[in-house]
Amino acid sequence: MSFTLPIKILFQHCDPAGIVFFPRYFEMINLVVEEWFEQSLGYPFAQMQSDGFGVPTVTIKTDFTAPSRLGDRVDFQLTVAKLGRTSVTLDYVAKAGEETRLTAQSVLVYMDKSTGRPLPWPSAVRDRIAAHLD
């Protein structure tokens, strides 16, 4: 099961040529992850942070296949590729219509903010993530 979040490309995302400046895509990917945790997993980042936990990105690989321009609507699709004891591997495809704009894969690790050490996923969160395995 996948999660999709449409994002409209705004002026703030673009460089002077009117195309998305590549670091802004990483902000969009983070937005997709944050919304997925809240909407699909029922574990908003605000709650996670106040509970003393986080999910930093430890790896990200991205291919930029076509430019996105000011005013485009890009649908970001997230799927779970792998679920580990303390980590999750996520795949992303961003498309405008049928045209793929980027593909990416990231690994997030569930961690204790006070120690910076990885922790096993809470069972309820792990079960919800597992339900999204591709």
Side-chain angles (χ1 to χ4, degrees), residues 41 83-87 120-131:
L41 304 183
L83 177 58
R85 187 177 71 83
T86 63
S87 65
W121 291 104
S123 59
V125 175
R126 182 181 178 75
D127 291 346
R128 289 184 207 121
I129 294 171

Side-chain angles (χ1 to χ4, degrees), residues 56-121:
T57 299
V58 298
T59 303
I60 191 162
K61 300 176 208 170
T62 308
D63 290 314
F64 304 98
T65 55
S68 295
R69 300 187 188 302
L70 182 61
D72 286 352
R73 178 193 149 147
V74 180
D75 293 321
F76 281 75
Q77 183 179 47
L78 174 155
T79 56
V80 177
K82 181 180 173 187
L83 177 58
R85 187 177 71 83
T86 63
S87 65
V88 63
T89 302
L90 302 173
D91 288 334
Y92 313 88
V93 177
K95 291 184 171 188
E98 293 301 312
E99 183 179 43
T100 300
R101 302 297 175 84
L102 74 80
T103 58
Q105 184 176 73
S106 70
V107 177
L108 309 179
V109 173
Y110 187 69
M111 64 163 258
D112 182 319
K113 285 179 18 181
S114 65
T115 66
R117 304 293 305 166
L119 294 171
W121 291 104

Side-chain angles (χ1 to χ4, degrees), residues 6-85:
I7 298 176
K8 182 179 177 183
I9 303 303
L10 303 173
F11 181 74
Q12 70 188 23
H13 300 131
C14 297
D15 64 15
I19 62 174
V20 172
F21 181 47
F22 78 93
R24 300 293 177 248
Y25 275 124
F26 295 116
E27 294 172 349
M28 292 178 213
I29 287 170
N30 191 73
L31 173 63
V32 173
V33 169
E34 194 166 340
E35 290 294 327
W36 177 63
F37 265 83
E38 183 168 344
Q39 294 179 32
S40 295
L41 304 183
Y43 195 28
F45 271 28
Q47 178 187 344
M48 185 188 311
Q49 292 289 311
S50 68
D51 290 345
F53 305 104
V55 286
T57 299
V58 298
T59 303
I60 191 162
K61 300 176 208 170
T62 308
D63 290 314
F64 304 98
T65 55
S68 295
R69 300 187 188 302
L70 182 61
D72 286 352
R73 178 193 149 147
V74 180
D75 293 321
F76 281 75
Q77 183 179 47
L78 174 155
T79 56
V80 177
K82 181 180 173 187
L83 177 58
R85 187 177 71 83

